[in-house]
Structure formats: structure tokens, C-alpha cells
Amino acid sequence: MRFKPLLLSLLSFSALAELDHVQPSSWWIGMQHKDVQIMLHGNDIGDDKVRVSYPGVALIDVQHTDNNNYLFVTLRISDDAKPGKVGITLDSDTAWVDLLEREPGSAQRQGFNNSDVIYLITPDRFANGDSTNDEVADLKEGKNREHVGGRHGGDIQGIIDHLDYLDDMGYTQLWLMPVLENDQASYSYHGYSTTDYYRIDPRYGSNGLYRQLSDQLAKRNMGLIKDVILNHIGSEHWWMKDMPASDWINHGGKFVGTNHRRETMHDPHAAPGEAAGFKDGWFVPSMPDLNQRNPLLATYLIQNSIWWIETAKLSGIRLDTYSYPDSAFLSEYTRRVMQEYPNFSMVGEEWSTNPAIVSYWQRGTKRHDGYQSALSSLMDFPLQDAVVKGLTAPETWSSGISSIYQTLANDFVYGNANDLVVFPDNHDMSRIFSQLNEDIALTKMALAFYATTRGTPQYFYGTEILMKNPGTDDHGVIRSDFPGGWPDDKVNGFNGKGLTAEQAGMQAWLRQLLNWRKTSAAVTSGELVHYIPYDGTYVYFRVADKQRVMVVLNKGQARTVPMSYFHAMLGDAKQGKDVMLGSDVALSGDLALDAKSVRIIEF
């Protein structure tokens, strides 16, 4: 009987000794920033003594919080260190961190740029390449393809299976909506409620499969852009069951909604507290709002992005809800990422149609308050709004196609407007075909414009086959399944089976346009010069040293335009070629334009 208390004591000690989380569990030798912060989470470890003994690795700091289940250990990694397993020894357990060698050229990786065309995919809705992961035992929500807000079974393997199709279409970068674990009870397919920052959701695949996707893209000279959420997590994140610190979540972990008024960040007349109401408020009760003013959390988020860039060999990051996190944190986040990867690309989502609001966050912009940013790009929401209005509103002095011209004329407010990402639609708004009232001619005009204007174009999956959302703005409908991504689909957008003539025609047309775009230095690296629109017709040129491209958007009736008016841009050129028709075009006399048409002329 006397041994039972001893046995119980040993069992209790074993429970105390187990570490639940070590994040990150790996890091690299030769990083520009030599320190790495390791989050340790386990029962009552906060008072443990910490020891590290590994050549070239020094213990720099140990941070405690008001939760005794956490320790934050900072290691300094010398360039002379060798790969191996670094043990962080506590009184009750040892945490192991893999020390890795970087791949050659990792720091000089090239981000996306104007030579690229980005394809945005909702992974759950693109293709189901592995039906065995549709249901995962330790995750709450399973497959329910009949429910527009449910999980449909698309995954990373499905994307890999169709890379040849995407390559053939002319896309060069894939932006996937978030693929990290989202273990929410419902509505988890969209990915914006992270429950583990270091784990690919098993219903999509694994960390290794995500890396395979990146490797397969690289073989095709394509890149991978990761969707990153710095502002909030999912309510089922493991942090919410054992908060790392009492100030980890804004408003003490209790829901207080954001006012969504990003103008308060810049408004010289804003009342006290209005800006905090924007920054610190939550989107919805299921998305706890992170407090990046906590320096331990700030470092965790910065390191997580760097870890994924290095692990998955990313070519870019898309930053969700960009302006909502703490502004000082965003400055440091962009500085640290660009310090490690000077040629990398990051694009922020600042959903405003006001160029002054959007431009504030871009590097190189002259700001009213001296704010520092290293963010290379933003999504050009002002231009997206202008194109839809320009193609659908009546032609007057102040409306119609001149909206496009007027918006581009505001490019002087940006640090570099050429670095913006331009797009006809995305996952949070009606599809462009629906926004343009299912008018195929206007849709072609819009898609051609985005392929030939300044910036890096992004298209949403299925745009090439005229996917639409008639009569509803439900996101589940907007993000409908790509036809052919499931074995029992009767229509297949990948091989053309069952597509209508209009769908097949648009697909072939966009394929031709995007593959031509790859060959055009004027479009991918040239300057934009445009003329004041007249009577529903807008003309602009893309100009490089040895090549020029003339684009004419004609929103109205059939007409002709005198080429002599554009002599300053045409110069002595006598003849060009219509890119889409393949026919020769005389650069003198009058140019004939069909009603609601676009012409792209290379010379």
C-alpha cells in the first residue's frame, strides 16, 4: 500500500512535464535577424529554470507572462552554428528545436511582379484531389457539399493535379485563400479563422504537401502566395483555451465589434477613441481580435510569416484586413520580412475606394505623419470600383468610362502605383461577370483592361469560364465549386466537357491574352500613357524601349477614331498587329471599332 502515493506522484510529475506546444519547432542558420523567440506551452512551466547547451546557440532571454503555463525563450543563432537539434531544457522537460541550413539563394528569392498574373483560388472549392481527407477525426467540421457555407472537399492535391491547366492558361502565381488549420464547428472552409498558425489544415493536406505544391509550381516557373491573417484568429484557436497573456486578445478576450471606419486612422477631426474603435474591435464573435501591441505576440506573428516563407519557398504574401492590426506592429512586420527577403513581395488588403487611404500603407508614399512602411503593394480597390462603374454607368461628363481615367490620374498619391495588384473581382465580392450584368462584351473589356494596365493582374478562379452569382451576394455562392473538380461533375472546366460556347470562347480568349502578355515587355515593364476618354472610348498605350502597345476600349456604338490624334505615341510606325485577331492594322487613317469592344494593337 505504501507505493501508491509514490506512483500517483510520478504520474502527476509526468503530466506536468509534458509540453503541449513548441512554436516554432524549427529555425535556420544564416538569417539576417539572428534571434528567434520560441513559445513554450505546458502545465505550470513558468517558474522552470531554462538551460541551453548547443555550439553556436546562446540563450539570450526568457520572458514570463501572467499565465504560468507559458515561457518565451529567445535564442541567438550564430552563423557558425551547425544543423542539428537544439535542446531547451526545463526543470521538467526538454523542448527540441530543429536547427536547419537554408537553401541556396533563399534570401534573394524573387517576389511576384508585373510580369506575373495571379490566380486566386478558394482551395475548398477548386478540386478534390484526395477524398480520404474529406473527414478528419480530430477536426470538427466534415464535408457537406450540399451546403453553400459548408466544406466541399477541395484540397491541395486537387490544385496540384491541375497545375498543367493553370500553366497553360497563362497564370504564373497562385494565391490560395488561407490553408492553415481552421478547426471551427461551422463555416470553416474559407480559412480566415486560424486555429493553429503552424499547421496546414489536414482537410487540405499537410505541411509537406503544401511544400510539394510550391515545388511543383517552381518547376513551371510559377510561384505561391500565402494568405496571412495578422488581425484575428478563430474562436477555437488553442490560445483561447489557455490565453498566453491577459492582454493577448483585445478587450480582454470579450467581443466588442470594430466600427470598420478606417478613415479614423487619418482623420484630423476624429473624436477621441474612434481610431481605437476601428483597430481594437472584433470582426465577429468567432474571430477574436489580436493585440499586436503585446511584443511577444508581435514577434510570434512576424516569425510565423518568415517561417512559412522559408519552409514553403513562398514568392509572396497577401495580408488580409491589412489596416486593422496595430500600425506600429505593421511597420515592424513589413520591415522584418523585407530585411530577410529584400526582393520579396507583399500585398495588403485595404478595402477602400479612396486612393489616399490605400496609398498611405505603401512604401515610398509621402505621408502626413511620417509613418514608416516597407509594404510593397496593395490591392487596387479604387481602380476595381472605377472599372465597374466606368463600364456600367451612363456616359456623362462625370461618369462612365472616364471614371477609369480619373482614378488612374490619382496615381501620384502612391509610392509606386506600378506595384499595385489590380483585379476585376475577388472572393469577397460578386463575380465580375455578375457585376457587369452578365454582358460578355463588357466582361472581355474588363479582363483585357486588367491584363494591359499598370500593375500586377489578379483573376479569381472560374473567371475564365464566366462563373457568376446571379441574384445573390452570398459568399458561398460567389465561391462556388469549379466544375470538373469532383469526379461526378457533369461539366468540366479543365477539359471543356459540357461548357457552353460562351464559356469555352471566353476561356480560349483569356488563355490567348494571358500567354501573349508574357511576351510583351511594354505591358509587363513599360510605362502607361493614356488619353482623355471621349464619347465612351478610352485609349491608352504601354511603352517600353523597343515595343509599344495601344489599347482601345470602346464602350459605345461602332465607330472610328482618327489615328492622327495619337501621333505623339505612334511616331513613325506605319503598321501594327491586332493581338487577339492576328491581323495587320494600319496606324494611319481611321481605326474601326466594333460596339462594346476592345482592341489591343502591338507595334
Side-chain angles (χ1 to χ4, degrees):
M1 295 292 294
R2 295 178 60 186
F3 68 88
K4 288 187 176 179
L6 175 61
L7 177 60
L8 291 174
S9 176
L10 289 171
L11 289 173
S12 299
F13 179 80
S14 177
L16 286 174
E18 184 177 351
L19 285 170
D20 295 314
H21 297 94
V22 178
Q23 293 186 338
S25 60
S26 59
W27 205 250
W28 292 269
I29 303 163
M31 303 297 284
Q32 187 71 23
H33 191 83
K34 303 304 178 186
D35 295 351
V36 59
Q37 170 189 285
I38 309 297
M39 171 192 276
L40 304 180
H41 174 227
N43 188 27
D44 205 29
I45 63 172
D47 295 325
D48 281 17
K49 184 178 179 181
V50 179
R51 299 172 297 280
V52 174
S53 179
Y54 189 93
V57 176
L59 176 63
I60 297 300
D61 190 28
V62 178
Q63 290 283 328
H64 305 260
T65 71
D66 52 12
N67 183 340
N68 208 45
N69 293 336
Y70 286 86
L71 281 173
F72 291 82
V73 177
T74 300
L75 306 178
R76 181 160 296 164
I77 301 173
S78 165
D79 289 344
D80 297 329
K82 303 298 181 185
K85 287 187 175 293
V86 178
I88 303 173
T89 303
L90 310 183
D91 292 343
S92 52
D93 200 359
T94 298
W96 295 99
V97 176
D98 290 325
L99 192 57
L100 307 173
E101 204 165 359
R102 300 181 77 183
E103 293 198 7
S106 178
Q108 285 72 45
R109 70 184 63 241
Q110 179 62 55
F112 62 81
N113 56 45
N114 291 348
S115 68
D116 287 307
V117 177
I118 300 169
Y119 193 67
L120 166 58
I121 292 175
T122 305
D124 181 64
R125 305 297 174 85
F126 189 65
N128 189 347
D130 181 4
S131 60
T132 65
N133 63 19
D134 292 350
E135 305 276 346
V136 176
D138 66 339
L139 298 179
K140 299 178 180 64
E141 189 176 16
K143 181 182 175 183
N144 183 359
R145 199 179 175 201
E146 303 305 313
H147 178 34
V148 295
R151 300 193 76 96
H152 291 189
D155 50 34
I156 294 171
Q157 187 60 55
I159 297 170
I160 292 174
D161 290 345
H162 294 98
L163 290 184
D164 287 343
Y165 166 79
L166 299 176
D167 189 10
D168 181 62
M169 280 296 303
Y171 305 114
T172 61
Q173 298 280 340
L174 296 192
W175 158 24
L176 310 186
M177 285 172 61
V179 291
L180 294 182
E181 181 193 275
N182 264 241
D183 192 17
Q184 300 289 109
S186 62
Y187 203 60
S188 66
Y189 81 90
H190 57 72
Y192 289 100
S193 300
T194 307
T195 56
D196 191 328
Y197 274 101
Y198 281 94
R199 186 192 191 197
I200 294 294
D201 195 300
R203 290 162 295 193
Y204 291 140
S206 64
N207 289 17
L209 190 63
Y210 187 62
R211 169 63 180 260
Q212 287 181 39
L213 170 61
S214 181
D215 290 340
Q216 288 296 316
L217 286 167
K219 291 179 181 178
R220 296 168 171 82
N221 293 316
M222 302 169 71
L224 182 60
I225 299 170
K226 188 174 188 295
D227 205 329
V228 170
I229 308 103
L230 303 171
N231 180 66
H232 53 265
I233 56 175
S235 55
E236 295 300 314
H237 193 292
W238 59 269
W239 285 337
M240 300 306 293
K241 299 173 180 64
D242 192 18
M243 199 81 70
S246 58
D247 64 347
W248 205 256
I249 303 294
N250 282 321
H251 296 290
K254 304 297 183 182
F255 173 72
V256 176
T258 176
N259 58 34
H260 291 293
R261 293 292 186 179
R262 50 192 34 82
E263 293 82 4
T264 60
M265 294 295 300
H266 316 282
D267 181 5
H269 316 294
E274 298 280 61
F278 167 66
K279 285 280 190 181
D280 296 348
W282 297 26
F283 266 67
V284 291
S286 62
M287 291 180 173
D289 200 73
L290 295 172
N291 173 27
Q292 303 86 9
R293 292 181 296 274
N294 180 306
L296 299 173
L297 173 57
T299 299
Y300 179 97
L301 294 171
I302 292 168
Q303 289 183 170
N304 178 256
S305 289
I306 293 171
W307 189 89
W308 278 111
I309 294 169
E310 200 76 19
T311 296
K313 300 192 292 188
L314 301 177
S315 61
I317 282 176
R318 181 263 184 183
L319 292 159
D320 181 64
T321 56
Y322 185 75
S323 61
Y324 285 81
D326 179 70
S327 298
F329 161 75
L330 291 173
S331 181
E332 179 63 6
Y333 174 91
T334 57
R335 185 194 72 81
R336 280 283 307 277
V337 173
M338 296 309 294
Q339 177 190 43
E340 294 292 350
Y341 310 100
N343 303 317
F344 196 64
S345 298
M346 294 185 289
V347 56
E349 178 204 30
E350 173 64 309
W351 196 328
S352 171
T353 58
N354 182 347
I357 298 293
V358 176
S359 66
Y360 176 86
W361 301 104
Q362 190 182 28
R363 67 185 178 194
T365 296
K366 295 180 180 178
R367 283 171 277 270
H368 60 86
D369 58 0
Y371 180 74
Q372 297 297 308
S373 175
L375 183 68
S376 55
S377 177
L378 287 115
M379 307 300 300
D380 196 344
F381 283 95
L383 188 58
Q384 192 281 332
D385 182 67
V387 170
V388 172
K389 289 177 178 177
L391 294 179
T392 57
E395 286 298 318
T396 70
W397 173 259
S398 58
S399 68
I401 206 164
S402 63
S403 298
I404 303 172
Y405 166 84
Q406 290 166 354
T407 299
L408 287 168
N410 285 321
D411 276 359
F412 64 87
V413 303
Y414 293 100
N416 188 349
N418 289 330
D419 284 344
L420 299 177
V421 172
V422 298
F423 58 102
D425 60 13
N426 67 17
H427 57 301
D428 287 328
M429 61 175 66
S430 288
R431 287 182 170 273
I432 188 63
F433 190 45
S434 293
Q435 291 188 59
L436 298 177
N437 304 312
E438 297 186 16
D439 187 312
I440 292 177
L442 291 182
T443 302
K444 278 188 175 181
M445 290 174 67
L447 301 188
F449 170 76
Y450 285 110
T452 55
T453 191
R454 57 96 174 113
T456 304
Q458 167 252 296
Y459 298 96
F460 194 25
Y461 77 99
T463 296
E464 69 271 23
I465 55 170
L466 299 174
M467 285 179 65
K468 57 189 177 181
N469 54 294
T472 180
D473 59 0
D474 186 296
H475 284 181
V477 176
I478 292 169
R479 306 162 186 165
S480 292
D481 297 347
F482 190 95
W486 283 255
D488 57 349
D489 287 354
K490 293 181 173 57
V491 176
N492 192 318
F494 298 114
N495 62 23
K497 179 183 176 182
L499 293 180
T500 67
E502 291 79 8
Q503 289 177 310
M506 180 63 80
Q507 186 182 53
W509 179 87
L510 188 59
R511 180 188 294 114
Q512 178 186 350
L513 175 62
L514 297 185
N515 280 291
W516 163 79
R517 188 183 187 276
K518 293 179 179 179
T519 71
S520 174
V523 170
T524 58
S525 61
E527 295 299 316
L528 170 67
V529 179
H530 63 175
Y531 284 78
I532 299 169
Y534 175 76
D535 195 24
T537 302
Y538 175 47
V539 178
Y540 58 93
F541 289 79
R542 300 302 306 276
V543 182
D545 289 342
K546 296 182 179 181
Q547 184 190 55
R548 296 192 176 196
V549 172
M550 178 183 186
V551 184
V552 185
L553 303 180
N554 181 39
K555 178 184 168 186
Q557 299 300 312
R559 61 178 302 172
T560 61
V561 294
M563 297 297 274
S564 59
Y565 189 76
F566 310 106
H567 177 72
M569 298 309 300
L570 295 172
D572 296 329
K574 304 298 183 184
Q575 186 171 281
K577 176 159 289 194
D578 188 301
V579 167
M580 301 308 291
L581 298 178
S583 55
D584 292 335
V585 179
L587 300 181
S588 59
D590 292 339
L591 178 67
L593 304 174
D594 292 336
K596 288 199 295 188
S597 66
V598 56
R599 296 200 71 176
I600 305 171
I601 302 167
E602 185 177 45
F603 63 97

